[in-house]
Amino acid sequence: LLGDAAFDQVGMLLERRRYLFEALRKALAKLSGPDYAATGGDGPPAAAAASNMPSYAPGVTITSSSQKLMAKMGRKQQKKGVGVGKAAAGADLDAELELLQSLTWDELLSSEVGVKDRRGGSLWLGGMQFAMADDGGLATRNVLPKGTKRITQKGYEEVKVPAVQGLPAPTQDELVPISSLEPWAQAAFSGYKTLNRIQSRIFNTAYYSNENLLVCAPTGAGKTNIAMITVLREVAANMSNGTIQKDHFKIVYVAPMKALAAEVTTNFGKRLAPLGLVVKELTGDMQLSKRELSETQMIVTTPEKWDVITRKGGDVAVAALVKLLIIDEVHLLNDERGPVIETIIARTLRQVEASQSMIRIVGLSATLPNYQDVATFLRVNSSSGLFHFDASYRPVPLEMSFVGVTIANMTARNSMMNQICYDKVVDSLKRGHQVMVFVHSRKDTGKTGRVLGDLAAKNGETHLFETEGDDPRRGLAVKEVNKSRNRELQELFQSGLGLHHAGMLRSDRNLTERLFADGFIKVLVCTATLAWGVNLPAHTVIIKGTQVYDAKKGTFTELGMLDVQQIFGRAGRPQFDTSGEATIVTAHSKLAHYLGMLTHATPIESQFKSLLPDNLNAELVLGTVTNVKEAATWLTYSYLYVRMTKNPLVYGITYEQLLADPTLTHYCRDLIIDAAKQLHAAKMAVFDERTGNMFVTELGRVASHFYIRYQSIIVFNERLKEHVSWADVLGMISLSSEFENIMVREEELPEVENLIRQGAIPHAPKGGVENKHGKANILIQAYISRARVESFSLTADLMYVASNAPRIARALFEIAVRRKWNTAAGMLLELCKSLELRLWPDQHPLRQMEAALTPELLWKMEERGLTIERLDDMSASEIGAFLRHPAAGDKIRGCLDAFPRLGLEASLHPITRGVARIQLTITPQFSWRDRLHGGALRWWVWVEDPSVDRLHHVESWTLTKKMASEEVQKLGFTIPLAEPLPGQYFIRLVSDNWLQAEEVLEVSLAGLQLPSRGPPHTELLDLDPLPLEALGKEQYIDLYRGRFTHFNPIQTQAFHTLYHTDESVLLGAPTGSGKTISSELTMMRLWKAHPEDKVIYIAPLKALVRERMNDWGKGLCRRLGKKLVELTGDYTPDLAALLAADIIIATPEKWDGISRNWQSRGYVKKVGLLVIDEIHLLGADRGPILEVIVSRMRYIAASMNRPIRFVGLSTALANAHDLADWLGTSSAGLFNFKPSVRPVPLEAHMQGFPGKFYCPRMASMNKPAYAAIQVHSPLKPVLVFVASRRQTRLTALDLISYAAADERPIQFVHMTPQELTNVLSRVRDASLRHCLQFGVGLHHAGLGEGDRQLVESLFVTQQIQVGHQGAAVTACSLMHWQTMLCCFHCKRLWYH
């Protein structure tokens, strides 16, 4: 009966049966013993029991069923001659069993809770005890105000809670006058004279400090103005000389609902407009472009939207500028959306610590039971930043009624609720007050309005609903209502009733709000949207029913605390009423729930654990977490961690575990490990259990960016294939966890089956209509087909499916693209567009221009087979004649001209046998219309190989309006080639948002001439290393003695050619292979065979020239007695020095300039050896100069009939033979070793980072760089290459912050404090000085010579561990060229 899941619970009960038995007997003893039956008086048990009962009002006592039962049992025992509680031996167990069978759980529980509170009585409801306050206050948990009454009527029970006694009116000294603000700040409080009591109390902290704040106050207490004060504080902090520095800050206001976000945007936008500040809404309904985002100072958004923005990392520039984060309704931590709020706050707190920047967090909340825990989570100083105000601070005291209907039958219960609602409405109308009745569906607004009108007519009380007829404005109001197309609105207005819901036209909603505010509508029936989106109060509000359909859960749920407080906040008009009235009508079983909600009896708990894997994945993708240790630290920033330490049992932690692990370090690690294993199983991350390291995958990145749950990714892994049909994909989407809670209802089946019969479901749903996944599938197709749905719950499900399916489809498309699946990617992109446009791909493409064409015209074109291709061949008059609608021809022709189409041409050039470059010429062939095309159109460019159905290249390309006006656009990219070559590739341009807007171009590969295959690399021979003695000259041997004893294998193999012949040489070998010594061998050969000749050494960079000058000046030239001259733009020697020089070191440009006049320059004619270092740069920007130099020197040699030896030094080359032929090198002089031939083995690790924009991409690389240092080289030297001078500083600062977060800020320093002090005193650059304190050096061309040499020296001697190098314009690291430094680990942060 209980199912398999109950075995564990039954086992646990059996294990603890002894304790349960003892506890049960103890509870029964309390109920039957004298301590409970009497209070020590001498009266009879019944009287004692009566005296012991809770008292709710003077003279009223209530006897519970348990005490009636005890009295009955007492009489039985007396008849048997035994006193109560003193049963004969053997009879006590029978008595206990009888008592147990007769009692309820609530009564057993009451015996454990204890007797009544003797101060002022107490109230028992649903197993919860509510104490009565003596003073009418409502300051503590589970306490009701004095005067609370409980009334039992036929069919319902009512608890009336009187208004909490308000505080006396504040004196003028208590209130802060607006005039005390700066004149510019007063503009935001136009119409205000003073702040209210709460705002004044908080003012000093909010306006004169940067402290984090948590403000807990009743709804309507003015928390919005508190937010405004903190905004003005931030504006003041970014004001210079009376001017607001708008580019220096951003303010983010997180509102829980779109309706509230819209209201806040309007409110703050108007009030901040005088300051020139821009306030924009950023929600699912309102998107902002990158430009709009940068121009906005205050962003009003929802938790989910801000989570998406901050987790992507691409908008890091926006997030980095945030200085104030306002979280409204922070008590939603207890809600299912709570994990999102926890995530964004935890991320912000970690950003503050990591960047050492100031971001103020302000939490606004209703009154909370455990506000101190929330304050701890928000890092609020409880003594100065925490403000908690009870209900006595409410601007209008609120009298509340809680009505619980006891009738079980649904129809009868609804009828009773309508009657109670009517009675409350009439009571308020008789006292001259307006009423708002809140219901929970659009359909129910009209239904309830009609029921109220019918009951008024039945009871002869319609006059109460009608307004006075002598008001001259009433006639105008009647005219306005009669203009409305909403029949229901017109009918109800005649009865003095109004209705308001989100499904009405904006104009009708505005009209209803105005009529209610002017008093022409006395009773307004509305949904909760009104409470959130519009500030429209009434004296009386009534919530009729609390069952709300939640499409996400697929069932009816109870109205949430947030909605109840918001609706109750509308009761009482501050300017007109001295009190307000609020009534909630619900089922009797929920009475205690809502009463407990009022008294904040239940502390809010964290829901973060339920979404831990998804949130962990988001942090992995963002790069803030890379291993278990960091993830466990991240978890400590959550509200979950705060509550786990306070209330461990709720989270499955025993007190024994808490005592053994007070900081819950091990428990947090266990949670993270479990979540990491789940991500690993879903292929969203790679988790190494041995080291604890976690690495994100493309699948994890897609899931994070598109907000997809890991359970859905598991489904996609199983079902997404390379070749799928529409039916397969629709079925797979319907299986995703986002639709797991959709329910199948018996009453909906006829309507669902009708959708299939109507032809709205072209693809048969797998699982059928009676399966929840089948239902989701049908709703997805019904949404695309624009089918009409009548049932309220089905409509809600349809809208829920419609809001999630497009996002899931986009995620699937990204997955298919990353897997290079051609067919799947094309089909999924079509599905994405179908969901976004609500059109099937086989419908007419001009349906995307429905604003310009009527449905009849579109239907005619489809019926008569007028495809877009046929229409292209027809003139406007022909189209009109064909459709028998002459006027339509021009319209359709105009739409055809605006339909996005592109002309496409391509050229393909092989670079190597494995890589080709494609150059596209794209010509827009349509007329741009802003209304249709917006500011830009996004296209997908992909190259597909039909032979294997694979995508070889995919990229996104954006066509802007300006680009479209420029006509021809160029786009180039490289693709791989595989042999044997396929017959053709297809290049496809597909619109990202227009159906059937695509261009295809076939590129034939037949007859494509590929570059000839180069000979294989030179094999490294297994030779014995040559000793230095092979040089045969003591002077040369002494040059290297002490540095090494034998030449390395590469030098050994090339030694004979280099040292004993005059053969030109091309030496290609990896960096660090000793190529410089090889060039020195050729110099020694020259001086030995041709002592009068000169050596020209061409170095591509000045830095390399300086390095050679320093190295050879101190070593080779000094020892051999040779003269060395530098020839660069910085230094030009005189003629005598050049004539006397043995070695001239020059840059390509300088030697090119000098050698042009070689006939008149004798030293040029004496050149016997030309060494070109890094000759592979021939293919870079400086290549033409190098070509000219070599060609000229070969011409000089031929003209003078005097040989010149050419030596080219390079890395390993693909076409070394071509280069050797050009240099005049024979096969004997060609040495082109493999890149893997290194004196020191190299282990390479590569990580790819997505992202179009440079700064965010580089920022996302810094954390992985730090992680790589910790894994691969925690103690040995590390070089980090970056692409710019600025980036050296940014990356260094990030590494330092990560080291500080690791609690090892000086882990890279390897010198004493005294040595460090001496070093820092010699540094001129401020950034370098700061970084060196933490053992991180900077090296780039912008540093002074002294600073650069100091960094090199510290790094070589390993006094600092990490070096950062900025790049020169050649996209190669400056330090790589300039210095020969040995390091264990080299990390390059680059993007080619």
Side-chain angles (χ1 to χ4, degrees):
L1 288 174
L2 297 176
D4 296 340
F7 278 113
D8 292 339
Q9 282 91 340
V10 172
M12 185 183 70
L13 290 172
L14 290 173
E15 284 176 12
R16 302 186 179 184
R17 60 186 182 276
R18 182 182 296 276
Y19 304 108
L20 289 170
F21 181 70
E22 291 175 359
L24 192 59
R25 294 200 69 178
K26 188 185 290 185
L28 292 170
K30 282 185 180 180
L31 285 172
S32 59
D35 292 338
Y36 192 83
T39 56
D42 296 329
S51 68
N52 197 33
M53 277 308 298
S55 173
Y56 307 110
V60 179
T61 60
I62 297 176
T63 305
S64 71
S65 59
S66 62
Q67 295 215 325
K68 290 178 182 176
L69 180 63
M70 285 307 305
K72 182 180 176 182
M73 287 181 64
R75 289 193 295 273
K76 276 186 180 182
Q77 295 290 345
Q78 284 174 350
K79 287 178 182 177
K80 296 177 181 178
V82 183
V84 176
K86 298 173 184 174
D92 55 347
L93 191 58
D94 294 335
E96 286 175 353
L97 282 172
E98 186 180 354
L99 180 60
L100 180 60
Q101 289 170 349
S102 307
L103 290 174
T104 64
W105 165 250
D106 291 346
E107 286 154 341
L108 269 176
L109 184 64
S110 67
S111 70
E112 283 297 300
V113 174
V115 295
K116 67 166 187 167
D117 183 348
R118 289 182 175 80
R119 293 175 300 159
S122 61
L123 179 72
W124 272 97
L125 270 175
M128 294 177 68
Q129 183 187 29
F130 299 93
M132 299 290 186
D134 289 332
D135 55 359
L138 189 62
T140 57
R141 193 188 303 176
N142 280 42
V143 177
L144 294 170
K146 186 177 181 181
T148 299
K149 296 179 182 177
R150 180 178 188 174
I151 303 165
T152 303
Q153 300 282 1
K154 184 179 179 181
Y156 69 91
E157 188 172 27
E158 181 176 3
V159 177
K160 285 192 172 182
V161 181
V164 175
Q165 185 178 350
L167 298 172
T171 62
Q172 282 301 314
D173 294 339
E174 287 183 68
L175 304 180
V176 174
I178 299 301
S179 57
S180 65
L181 296 172
E182 287 87 348
W184 60 266
Q186 293 178 27
F189 284 94
S190 177
Y192 290 82
K193 291 184 179 179
T194 65
L195 300 175
N196 70 17
R197 190 197 303 265
I198 289 177
Q199 295 155 6
S200 300
R201 186 80 61 87
I202 299 172
F203 178 74
N204 283 336
T205 308
Y207 193 70
Y208 293 114
S209 79
N210 279 327
E211 282 208 44
N212 288 356
L213 286 178
L214 174 61
V215 181
C216 303
T219 305
K223 295 192 286 290
T224 305
N225 277 349
I226 296 168
M228 177 59 80
I229 295 167
T230 61
V231 168
L232 294 177
R233 160 69 187 177
E234 192 53 49
V235 172
N238 288 279
M239 190 174 282
S240 176
N241 300 322
T243 303
I244 301 171
Q245 307 297 314
K246 297 178 184 178
D247 296 334
H248 292 184
F249 71 99
K250 293 237 183 295
I251 297 162
V252 175
Y253 190 111
V254 179
M257 293 180 68
K258 292 176 189 176
L260 186 58
E263 184 189 355
V264 169
T265 304
T266 305
N267 183 358
F268 277 74
K270 287 179 182 175
R271 294 172 65 178
L272 293 174
L275 302 180
L277 300 180
V278 179
V279 182
K280 288 281 180 74
E281 179 186 346
L282 179 60
T283 61
D285 297 338
M286 301 292 291
Q287 302 293 334
L288 297 179
S289 66
K290 223 166 186 61
R291 182 179 175 184
E292 287 175 320
L293 213 53
S294 63
E295 292 173 351
T296 302
Q297 284 75 51
M298 184 171 178
I299 300 165
V300 183
T301 184
T302 55
E304 291 79 7
K305 194 67 180 178
W306 189 243
D307 182 22
V308 168
I309 287 173
T310 54
R311 66 163 56 179
K312 279 189 176 178
D315 296 305
V316 68
V318 174
L321 284 174
V322 173
K323 304 298 180 189
L324 173 61
L325 177 65
I326 302 169
I327 310 285
D328 201 357
E329 313 295 353
V330 78
H331 52 269
L332 270 179
L333 286 167
N334 198 42
D335 189 74
E336 60 187 14
R337 300 168 74 195
V340 185
I341 297 174
E342 284 192 57
T343 296
I344 58 178
I345 292 174
R347 195 173 291 150
T348 304
L349 292 171
R350 282 169 64 81
Q351 182 185 334
V352 168
E353 289 190 5
S355 63
Q356 293 298 298
S357 60
M358 177 65 204
I359 302 178
R360 187 183 198 184
I361 298 176
V362 175
L364 306 176
S365 167
T367 44
L368 293 170
N370 53 334
Y371 52 86
Q372 289 175 328
D373 293 340
V374 179
T376 303
F377 166 54
L378 295 177
R379 303 298 192 268
V380 170
N381 186 331
S382 58
S383 61
S384 56
L386 175 58
F387 296 89
H388 184 264
F389 303 94
D390 62 20
S392 61
Y393 280 86
R394 200 180 191 279
V396 178
L398 183 65
E399 182 181 317
M400 289 170 285
S401 294
F402 295 81
V403 181
V405 179
T406 55
I407 300 171
N409 181 275
M410 183 181 289
T411 306
R413 185 169 68 236
N414 289 340
S415 178
M416 176 58 74
M417 283 186 175
N418 286 330
Q419 186 61 51
I420 294 167
C421 179
Y422 175 77
D423 292 341
K424 295 286 183 184
V425 167
V426 168
D427 178 58
S428 189
L429 291 175
K430 285 179 178 177
R431 289 181 281 123
H433 301 308
Q434 286 178 297
V435 185
M436 280 185 186
V437 178
F438 285 89
V439 293
H440 309 300
S441 73
R442 300 173 184 181
K443 190 175 180 181
D444 209 21
T445 53
K447 190 176 176 181
T448 301
R450 285 190 294 274
V451 167
L452 292 176
D454 293 344
L455 287 172
K458 181 181 176 182
N459 296 324
E461 294 175 321
T462 53
H463 63 281
L464 294 173
F465 292 79
E466 295 168 358
T467 53
E468 291 76 8
D470 55 354
D471 192 323
R473 295 177 300 163
R474 179 172 170 76
L476 188 62
V478 171
K479 283 183 181 178
E480 284 191 85
V481 171
N482 289 335
K483 286 180 185 177
S484 171
R485 294 182 181 179
N486 193 320
R487 291 281 182 86
E488 212 168 28
L489 180 67
Q490 294 174 355
E491 290 171 10
L492 290 173
F493 181 71
Q494 293 172 6
S495 306
L497 292 150
L499 78 161
H500 189 290
H501 57 75
M504 294 167 62
L505 293 174
R506 177 76 263 183
S507 56
D508 287 343
R509 294 205 302 269
N510 290 340
L511 173 62
T512 301
E513 290 160 18
R514 194 167 66 251
L515 293 174
F516 187 79
D518 292 343
F520 294 118
I521 293 175
K522 287 191 174 182
V523 180
L524 181 60
V525 187
C526 51
T527 57
T529 311
L530 181 67
W532 285 108
V534 186
N535 188 8
L536 190 68
H539 178 274
T540 304
V541 297
I542 300 167
I543 300 175
K544 195 197 88 170
T546 56
Q547 287 278 297
V548 184
Y549 185 74
D550 185 346
K552 193 172 183 180
K553 293 181 178 176
T555 185
F556 284 90
T557 59
E558 288 300 313
L559 191 64
M561 172 174 72
L562 185 63
D563 286 303
V564 173
Q565 289 176 333
Q566 191 70 22
I567 292 169
F568 276 23
R570 294 294 181 231
R573 298 170 300 169
Q575 298 89 345
F576 310 105
D577 295 335
T578 55
S579 68
E581 294 176 23
T583 299
I584 184 166
V585 184
T586 183
H588 189 266
S589 59
K590 298 298 176 185
L591 200 55
H593 170 72
Y594 287 104
L595 201 55
M597 192 183 288
L598 164 76
T599 58
H600 322 296
T602 311
I604 63 170
E605 300 292 351
S606 170
Q607 310 298 320
F608 194 67
K609 201 172 170 182
S610 61
L611 292 178
L612 184 56
D614 295 313
N615 286 321
L616 175 60
N617 179 58
E619 299 304 316
L620 281 173
V621 172
L622 194 56
T624 56
V625 164
T626 57
N627 54 50
V628 171
K629 181 184 176 185
E630 290 175 355
T633 304
W634 159 73
L635 201 57
T636 62
Y637 288 79
S638 66
Y639 182 62
L640 170 68
Y641 179 75
V642 175
R643 286 303 298 163
M644 282 195 305
T645 55
K646 295 287 182 70
N647 194 9
L649 292 175
V650 170
Y651 304 96
I653 306 168
T654 64
Y655 277 106
E656 290 79 7
Q657 284 178 286
L658 189 62
L659 288 172
D661 184 18
T663 60
L664 294 177
T665 305
H666 296 299
Y667 186 76
C668 287
R669 282 180 62 87
D670 291 343
L671 284 178
I672 293 298
I673 288 170
D674 287 344
K677 285 179 179 176
Q678 289 173 310
L679 293 178
H680 185 83
K683 299 179 183 177
M684 292 164 64
V686 177
F687 175 47
D688 185 347
E689 290 190 56
R690 183 180 58 83
T691 61
N693 291 327
M694 293 179 274
F695 307 95
V696 70
T697 64
E698 286 296 330
L699 209 52
R701 195 169 275 120
V702 169
S704 174
H705 289 178
F706 289 93
Y707 232 66
I708 306 295
R709 297 178 189 171
Y710 82 96
Q711 297 97 328
S712 297
I713 294 293
I714 292 172
V715 173
F716 301 158
N717 286 337
E718 292 174 358
R719 295 180 174 268
L720 184 59
K721 306 297 180 192
E722 193 166 353
H723 297 95
V724 286
S725 65
W726 271 76
D728 294 333
V729 173
L730 289 167
M732 180 170 51
I733 292 176
S734 65
L735 285 169
S736 60
S737 64
E738 280 76 3
F739 306 132
E740 188 63 35
N741 293 318
I742 283 182
M743 303 288 286
V744 177
R745 294 175 193 81
E746 194 71 34
E747 64 272 17
E748 294 173 350
L749 290 178
E751 190 172 358
V752 172
E753 288 167 350
N754 190 43
L755 289 173
I756 297 173
R757 283 195 299 270
Q758 287 174 354
I761 316 299
H763 302 283
K766 294 184 179 180
V769 296
E770 296 182 1
N771 176 288
K772 62 182 176 182
H773 303 302
K775 177 183 173 182
N777 190 335
I778 288 168
L779 291 177
I780 292 170
Q781 296 187 60
Y783 177 71
I784 297 173
S785 300
R786 308 189 187 190
R788 186 177 180 83
V789 177
E790 297 295 334
S791 163
F792 164 67
S793 59
L794 204 57
T795 304
D797 283 340
L798 178 68
M799 297 317 295
Y800 174 71
V801 165
S803 64
N804 286 280
R807 173 174 53 83
I808 297 169
R810 281 285 172 187
L812 286 168
F813 168 65
E814 288 287 337
I815 293 170
V817 163
R818 281 166 166 75
R819 292 178 179 175
K820 305 294 185 185
W821 291 349
N822 177 31
T823 304
M827 198 274 294
L828 284 164
L829 182 56
E830 265 195 345
L831 175 60
C832 293
K833 293 187 281 189
S834 290
L835 285 163
E836 288 157 9
L837 299 168
R838 300 188 70 183
L839 289 171
W840 292 103
D842 56 1
Q843 290 182 275
H844 203 286
L846 292 188
R847 280 193 176 274
Q848 296 166 91
M849 301 181 181
E850 289 168 317
L853 301 173
T854 62
E856 291 79 16
L857 275 176
L858 291 165
W859 180 79
K860 275 185 180 181
M861 283 192 288
E862 285 178 337
E863 186 190 37
R864 299 183 184 185
L866 273 182
T867 62
I868 203 162
E869 290 78 14
R870 286 185 65 188
L871 288 169
D872 280 335
D873 297 333
M874 300 168 71
S875 65
S877 57
E878 288 172 335
I879 294 170
F882 191 85
L883 294 175
R884 298 180 183 177
H885 194 317
D890 290 327
K891 279 186 181 180
I892 294 172
R893 188 72 253 173
C895 290
L896 281 171
D897 292 340
F899 190 81
R901 278 178 284 195
L902 303 173
L904 191 59
E905 294 178 7
S907 60
L908 186 145
H909 309 285
I911 298 173
T912 68
R913 294 189 72 85
V915 178
R917 180 169 182 80
I918 290 181
Q919 186 75 29
L920 291 184
T921 303
I922 305 169
T923 310
Q925 296 176 342
F926 64 99
S927 57
W928 194 283
R929 295 184 187 175
D930 292 341
R931 187 169 49 84
L932 286 172
H933 307 122
L937 286 176
R938 191 180 182 206
W939 297 77
W940 287 97
V941 182
W942 64 54
V943 180
E944 56 192 59
D945 182 351
S947 62
V948 291
D949 199 28
R950 302 285 289 178
L951 294 173
H952 286 310
H953 177 81
V954 181
E955 72 173 270
S956 173
W957 177 72
T958 302
L959 176 69
T960 63
K961 183 181 179 180
K962 183 182 178 184
M963 290 165 65
S965 65
E966 293 169 358
E967 296 188 351
V968 176
Q969 298 296 321
K970 299 284 187 181
L971 180 65
F973 50 85
T974 57
I975 61 167
L977 293 175
E979 296 185 65
L981 290 174
Q984 71 275 330
Y985 282 167
F986 287 108
I987 300 173
R988 194 182 297 270
L989 254 73
V990 190
S991 172
D992 187 60
N993 39 25
W994 282 77
L995 276 168
Q996 299 187 38
E998 64 177 76
E999 302 296 332
V1000 182
L1001 180 67
E1002 179 187 348
V1003 178
S1004 175
L1005 301 183
L1008 183 68
Q1009 294 294 316
L1010 298 178
S1012 58
R1013 293 183 186 276
H1017 287 281
T1018 306
E1019 289 296 328
L1020 186 65
L1021 303 177
D1022 188 13
L1023 303 174
D1024 292 333
L1026 282 174
L1028 288 177
E1029 286 71 21
L1031 292 169
K1033 195 172 182 179
E1034 198 62 33
Q1035 195 179 13
Y1036 293 164
I1037 295 171
D1038 289 342
L1039 187 63
Y1040 301 116
R1041 187 174 283 134
R1043 291 167 61 186
F1044 55 87
T1045 59
H1046 292 73
F1047 292 103
N1048 70 27
I1050 290 174
Q1051 295 161 351
T1052 297
Q1053 189 165 334
F1055 184 82
H1056 177 78
T1057 306
L1058 295 169
Y1059 190 68
H1060 292 296
T1061 72
D1062 289 329
E1063 183 74 47
S1064 290
V1065 175
L1066 175 61
L1067 177 59
T1071 305
S1073 300
K1075 293 194 292 290
T1076 303
I1077 291 175
S1078 299
S1079 70
E1080 291 173 5
L1081 292 176
T1082 62
M1083 293 180 195
M1084 293 174 192
R1085 165 65 186 178
L1086 180 76
W1087 294 327
K1088 187 169 66 170
H1090 313 284
E1092 299 300 320
D1093 286 358
K1094 296 184 185 297
V1095 177
I1096 306 297
Y1097 188 94
I1098 304 294
L1101 293 173
K1102 292 178 186 177
L1104 256 180
V1105 173
R1106 282 196 296 271
E1107 185 199 340
R1108 290 292 101 236
M1109 289 295 295
N1110 291 336
D1111 184 21
W1112 285 344
K1114 294 175 184 175
L1116 184 139
C1117 292
R1118 185 169 59 83
R1119 293 195 180 189
L1120 300 182
K1122 302 296 180 183
K1123 293 181 181 177
L1124 182 67
V1125 168
E1126 177 184 346
L1127 189 61
T1128 63
D1130 297 338
Y1131 182 75
T1132 304
D1134 57 23
L1135 183 61
L1138 287 169
L1139 287 169
D1142 296 296
I1143 306 173
I1144 298 173
I1145 302 178
T1147 56
E1149 292 83 358
K1150 201 67 178 175
W1151 186 250
D1152 176 35
I1154 285 176
S1155 63
R1156 286 179 183 180
N1157 297 323
W1158 62 272
Q1159 293 94 341
S1160 59
R1161 289 175 174 158
Y1163 56 88
V1164 178
K1165 296 178 183 178
K1166 288 188 176 182
V1167 173
L1169 173 64
L1170 178 66
V1171 181
I1172 303 177
D1173 202 356
E1174 311 296 347
I1175 199 171
H1176 55 266
L1177 290 180
L1178 203 64
D1181 294 340
R1182 286 177 158 180
I1185 301 172
L1186 291 174
E1187 280 195 58
V1188 167
I1189 290 171
V1190 173
S1191 300
R1192 186 178 296 132
M1193 294 308 292
R1194 291 191 69 182
Y1195 175 75
I1196 293 170
S1199 299
M1200 298 180 62
N1201 198 23
R1202 187 171 182 275
I1204 296 177
R1205 188 182 193 188
F1206 293 89
V1207 176
L1209 305 178
S1210 167
T1211 57
L1213 297 168
N1215 58 338
H1217 268 260
D1218 296 339
L1219 194 57
D1221 290 343
W1222 175 61
L1223 285 175
T1225 303
S1226 67
S1227 58
L1230 175 58
F1231 300 93
N1232 184 36
F1233 295 99
K1234 294 177 181 177
S1236 57
V1237 176
R1238 289 173 52 92
V1240 179
L1242 175 70
E1243 185 181 338
H1245 302 267
M1246 283 181 278
Q1247 270 182 278
F1249 292 84
K1252 184 178 177 183
F1253 301 103
Y1254 174 78
C1255 290
R1257 189 175 62 247
M1258 292 301 294
S1260 68
M1261 293 180 184
N1262 292 336
K1263 186 65 180 285
Y1266 177 77
I1269 293 170
Q1270 298 302 315
V1271 172
H1272 302 297
S1273 184
L1275 299 174
K1276 295 181 181 179
V1278 177
L1279 284 176
V1280 181
F1281 292 93
V1282 294
S1284 67
R1285 299 179 187 181
R1286 177 175 175 269
Q1287 195 59 46
T1288 57
R1289 180 174 55 84
L1290 296 177
T1291 300
L1293 292 175
D1294 270 4
L1295 290 185
I1296 291 166
S1297 67
Y1298 295 138
D1302 240 353
E1303 299 178 357
R1304 295 189 299 156
I1306 57 171
Q1307 59 177 293
F1308 301 133
V1309 179
H1310 302 304
M1311 60 182 119
T1312 65
Q1314 184 59 46
E1315 288 174 331
L1316 182 60
T1317 304
N1318 293 337
V1319 166
L1320 295 176
S1321 65
R1322 294 155 54 194
V1323 179
R1324 293 184 179 181
D1325 187 88
S1327 297
L1328 176 61
R1329 188 183 305 113
H1330 172 75
C1331 293
L1332 283 177
Q1333 295 177 58
F1334 302 94
V1336 179
L1338 306 179
H1339 197 289
H1340 54 75
L1343 287 176
E1345 184 66 28
D1347 283 352
R1348 281 206 303 270
Q1349 289 179 356
L1350 176 63
V1351 172
E1352 292 167 18
S1353 171
L1354 291 172
F1355 189 79
V1356 169
T1357 57
Q1358 297 189 23
Q1359 290 178 288
I1360 61 173
Q1361 187 181 340
V1362 181
H1364 283 261
Q1365 292 75 47
V1369 293
T1370 55
C1372 297
S1373 168
L1374 176 63
M1375 192 168 185
H1376 168 74
W1377 299 111
Q1378 184 174 347
T1379 52
M1380 292 297 293
L1381 301 182
C1382 296
C1383 75
F1384 179 76
H1385 182 70
C1386 171
K1387 182 78 179 176
R1388 172 167 289 189
L1389 300 185
W1390 217 274
Y1391 184 83
H1392 293 285

